[in-house]
Amino acid sequence: MLFWDLGSECLSILRTGTGKTEYLLTAADSEGKLFALGRRGSVYELVMGDGTGRRTGRWELSDQVLTPESRPTLLYPAAGGAVYLGLYQVGEDGTDLQLYRISDEGKAWELLLNQPCQGENLSQQMASLRLSSFSQVDNVVTFAVIEGDTAHFYQRTSANSGLQELRSVSEEGLYTAVALSDGSLVLAGESRLVRTGGETISLENGEVIVRLLPGGTGMYYVDGASLEVYYADYADWRPYSFLALTKDAYDMDCCTDLWVTRSGDVLLLVDGQRLLVDRGSEVSELTGMLYRPAAQCVLILLGLGLGVLVVTVLLWYLVCEQRRFRLPMLVRWGVVIAWAAALGVGSLLRWGVAPAARTAAEREASSLLGSVTAQELQHWTLGDGDLPQQLGNSLAGAAGGDYWDTSVSVYQVDGEGNWTLMGSNDALPVGVRGELSPSFDRSWAQESETSGRVIWTDARGGQLRRIFYQREGGLLLAVDTDLTALLAAGERGTQWMAQGLISLAVLLTAVSLGILCWITIGLRRALKGLERLAAGEQGVTVTLGGGDELSSLADDINAFSDTLQELDRKQNELAQSYRRFVPERVLSLLGKTSIAQVDKQTFVSRHMATMMLSFQFPPQVYGKSGRELFDNINEIIERTASIVTQKGGAVFNFAYNGYDAVFEEGSGAAVSTAVAVRQEILEINKEREADDRAPVVMRIALDEGNVMLGVVGDEDQIEPTSISSSFSVTKHLIALCGRLEANILCTEAVIEGAKHYNSRYMGKCLEDGEDIRTYEIFDGDPYEVRKVKESTGGRFSQGVYALYSRDFSQAKKIFLGLVHHNTGDGGARYYLYLADRLEKRPEEEISLDSGA
C-alpha cells in the first residue's frame, strides 16, 4: 500500500509498454535532446531523452503553478538547460495566458508573461490569446503573442533580463508566427506567408499553416489541410513538401502533439502515451524515454516483493514465533474493524457512489448537450459559420457555468473520406484536417453516419470529457465539454450519501468497539486472574456476570484456582514428608535442589567438621512400653537435632541412641552447636526431674576431615549417608567420654574452633596406630563442675604432662589432690587410676586407652 503507485506503474509498463502518466506536449532542442511534458493525476513531470529513446533526466514540476485546472499549451527547450512553458491558468476570475522560464531541474520558476484572455467561454478565451513558436539566436529568445490578426513579438536577451517587446505586426487571418535567425519575422496568414521586408509566398495549394518552426537556413511549417511538412529556404524562399504525416505506422487521429526538429524529423506524441519520430523514410519508436525501462521495473517489483516478504517474515517471527510483539485485543481488532469499515465505505464510494455520480453527470451532460444543440439548430444550420460560437456561448451560460469549457466544431467530409474543419469556437483555423482537432474521432464519426448522433466519454489530458456528435449528410457537429464541474456538482449532490455511509460506518465501528471493549475488560479480568495464578498467588477469584462464555471462563478459572490450591497443599505436604527423610540442608550439601534429582549416582566429597551425639537413659526407661520409650527417644532427638539444623549442620544416621552430623562451615560451628546441645540437655534434665522422669546422659565427640556424602539403597528405597574416617575417631572419643566422664571431647583439629570456650587437654588416644590428641570442652557441664574445672585447669595440665613424662608419683600426687578437691572430676579420677597402674607397670604404653 505504501508503494501502490510505483508498483502499478511498473506492472503497467511490463503489461502494455506504457505507464500511468499521460503526456501532453513534446519538443526538441537545437542539440537533438528530446522533451515531453506529462501528467499523472495532479502531478506534472518533464522527462528528457536522446534520439535513441533513452531517458536522460526527469523534472518533477511544482504543483503550485501547474494546477490540475491549468492547460499547458507550448513547450520550448532553450539553450543552457532552461525550458519555456506556456499555459492557460484557469481560475474563478477568468483565464490568463502565462509564460514561465523553468530552470534548476524544475525548482526555479520565473514568470515572464501574464496576460488576461477575453471571451464568454474557455474556448474563446484560449483562442483570443495564443503563443507562437519560439526561436533562439545567440541566447536571444524570441516569440510572439497572437491576439486576433496581430502578432506582438517579444525578446529575452539574457538570463537576468525580462521581456522586451520588439514590435507588433498584423496580417489578415493570422494564425501563427515565428522569428528567424536573420532577424526577420514570418507570419502565416489566411492564404500566404509574409516575411517582414516585403517577401510574400502565396499558398497556392490551399495550405493551412498550423505551426511554424525555424530550422537550419530556413523554416518548417505544418500544413493542416494536407498533413504534410514543408520547408522554405532563405535563398529562394520557395517552400517544398518533404514529409507526409499519413503513414500506416501511426494514425494522426490519435496524435496528441507534434514537433518538427531542426533536422526535419517530426516528433509525434500518440495517444498521450507513445512517442514516435518520423524521419520520412522510417518511423522509430521512442516511447522508452517516457517510462522506466522494463528491466528496471522488474528489479523494482522484485525489490518490493522481497521487502514485503522480509517484513512479513519478520512480523510473523515476532508475533507468532517469539511472541515478543503483542498487541492488546482492543487495539488489534479495533484496527481491523476500523480498517474493514473504511474499506467498505471506500469501496462503496469508489465503485458505487462515484460511478453513479459519473453516470448521472454523463446523463445530464448528454441531455443538456442534446437539448441545447436542438434549440440552436432551430435557428442555425450546420453549414452556418456562426453556429460554433453561438452554440458554445449558449452552453457556457447554461447550468450555472458547468459547461463553460466546451468546444464546438463542425466538420465536412469529402469524397475521399477526409474530414476538414469548417468552423470552430476555438483557435484552430478553418480548413485543417479533423485529425488535428482534439474533438475529432474518425471511428465515432463513422458511427454517427448510421445512428445520426452518438455520445461518449473520453479521458484526455487528465480530464474527463463528454463528446456529442450529430451528423447531417456530409456535415458533422462535434460538441466537446469538460465534465469536471459536473462531476464536482455530482459529488456535492451525493455528499449526503457519502456522509451517511461514513456516519453509519463510524456508528457501527463505535458500537463494535464498545462491544469489543466490554469483552476486552472481561478477558483482562480473566487474564489478570491467570497472571496471579501463574505468579503463585492462592485463592484467586474472578467475577464476571452475563451468563455467557466469559462467565464460564471465570468459573473455570475459579475452579482451576481451587484445584491449584489443593494441589499446592498436597505438594507442600508431600515436600514436607520428603524433607523429613532428606532435609533441604542435606540436598544442598549433595548439590541438588529437589529430591527428584537424587539417585544412587549422587556423590560429593568435602572437608567438613563431624559430630557424633550419643545419649543414654537409665535402665528403667528401656524397660518401659514401646510407645513411652519412643516418646523419650524422639523428645531428645527433636530438641537437639533442631539445634544442629539451626546452627547449619546436616543430620545423618538417626539411631535409637544418637545420630551423626556434619558442618560445612567448619569446627567453629560444630563446637558452638555441641555446647548449645549440652546446655539444652541440662534444660531437658531439669524438666524431666520436675516431671519425676529419669535424666538422660549425652556425650558428644567432634573431629574435622574429609567427608564423603552420598546415597545408598536399592531400587525401591534410598537414603543419604556420610562416610569418613572422622566418624571412627568420634566413635572412639564417645567411648572415652564414658571413661573420663566428659560430655564433649574433640580432636586437636577442632580445638582451634573452641578458642572462645573453656577446654583442657586430656591426653592422647590411639586410633589405627596413630596418636590422637584429645581435648575436653566443659562449657556444657553444670555450672558447679564447670567452675571447678576452670579453676583447676592448670593443675590438671601439670598432672597430664607429669604422667606422660613418666613421673608417675608426681602425677598421682597432683590427681589425688584434684580428686580430693572435686570428686566429680571424672578425668582426674581416671588419670589417678592410670598413674597408679603405670607406676606398677611401667612397661605399658601411656595413653587414654591404657587399662581399658
Side-chain angles (χ1 to χ4, degrees), residues 390-424:
Q390 295 298 327
L391 182 54
N393 293 338
S394 298
L395 288 171
D402 289 344
Y403 298 85
W404 180 60
D405 181 8
T406 301
S407 174
V408 181
S409 304
V410 177
Y411 305 95
Q412 185 176 21
V413 64
D414 58 17
E416 298 179 357
N418 295 323
W419 293 86
T420 58
L421 183 66
M422 290 186 60
S424 174

Side-chain angles (χ1 to χ4, degrees), residues 29 31 77-83 101 103-104 136 139:
D29 63 9
E31 299 175 355
V83 175
R101 183 179 182 271
S103 59
D104 192 17
Q136 183 173 5
N139 293 327

Side-chain angles (χ1 to χ4, degrees), residues 512-563:
S512 301
L513 290 178
I515 296 174
L516 186 61
C517 184
W518 180 80
I519 296 174
T520 302
I521 292 174
L523 288 178
R524 282 186 178 275
R525 291 180 181 175
L527 290 175
K528 188 67 176 178
L530 290 175
E531 289 175 358
R532 291 165 60 192
L533 288 175
E537 186 176 344
Q538 297 183 355
V540 175
T541 302
V542 178
T543 304
L544 293 175
D548 52 12
E549 287 82 355
L550 286 177
S551 60
S552 298
L553 177 62
D555 294 339
D556 293 340
I557 292 175
N558 296 334
F560 183 50
S561 175
D562 296 339
T563 303

Side-chain angles (χ1 to χ4, degrees), residues 13 70 89 208 226 323 637 665 682 728 746 784 823 844:
I13 292 173
S70 59
Q89 196 66 267
V208 180
S226 62
R323 304 286 185 180
I637 292 178
E665 297 179 2
L682 295 177
S728 299
C746 68
E784 297 80 6
T823 58
E844 289 187 7

Side-chain angles (χ1 to χ4, degrees), residues 366-499:
S366 302
S367 175
L368 186 64
L369 291 178
S371 61
V372 173
T373 301
Q375 291 178 4
E376 291 296 329
L377 289 179
Q378 293 178 357
H379 307 286
W380 308 88
T381 63
L382 293 185
D384 292 331
D386 293 334
L387 175 62
Q389 297 291 342
Q390 295 298 327
L391 182 54
N393 293 338
S394 298
L395 288 171
D402 289 344
Y403 298 85
W404 180 60
D405 181 8
T406 301
S407 174
V408 181
S409 304
V410 177
Y411 305 95
Q412 185 176 21
V413 64
D414 58 17
E416 298 179 357
N418 295 323
W419 293 86
T420 58
L421 183 66
M422 290 186 60
S424 174
N425 68 337
D426 54 21
L428 278 177
V430 175
V432 301
R433 289 277 290 272
E435 288 89 335
L436 298 180
S437 173
S439 303
F440 181 77
D441 187 285
R442 184 182 298 107
S443 60
W444 288 104
Q446 294 172 354
E447 177 73 19
S448 66
E449 185 177 2
T450 57
S451 59
R453 63 168 59 184
V454 292
I455 189 166
W456 80 96
T457 302
D458 183 28
R460 185 173 69 242
Q463 297 176 316
L464 195 65
R465 304 190 70 87
R466 192 70 169 170
I467 304 174
F468 171 82
Y469 276 6
Q470 181 164 332
R471 180 80 174 267
E472 291 184 5
L475 299 178
L476 175 68
L477 173 65
V479 183
D480 182 356
T481 188
D482 181 19
L483 290 180
T484 302
L486 289 175
L487 291 176
E491 291 177 358
R492 291 192 296 270
T494 57
Q495 191 173 6
W496 65 270
M497 187 181 300
Q499 292 175 347

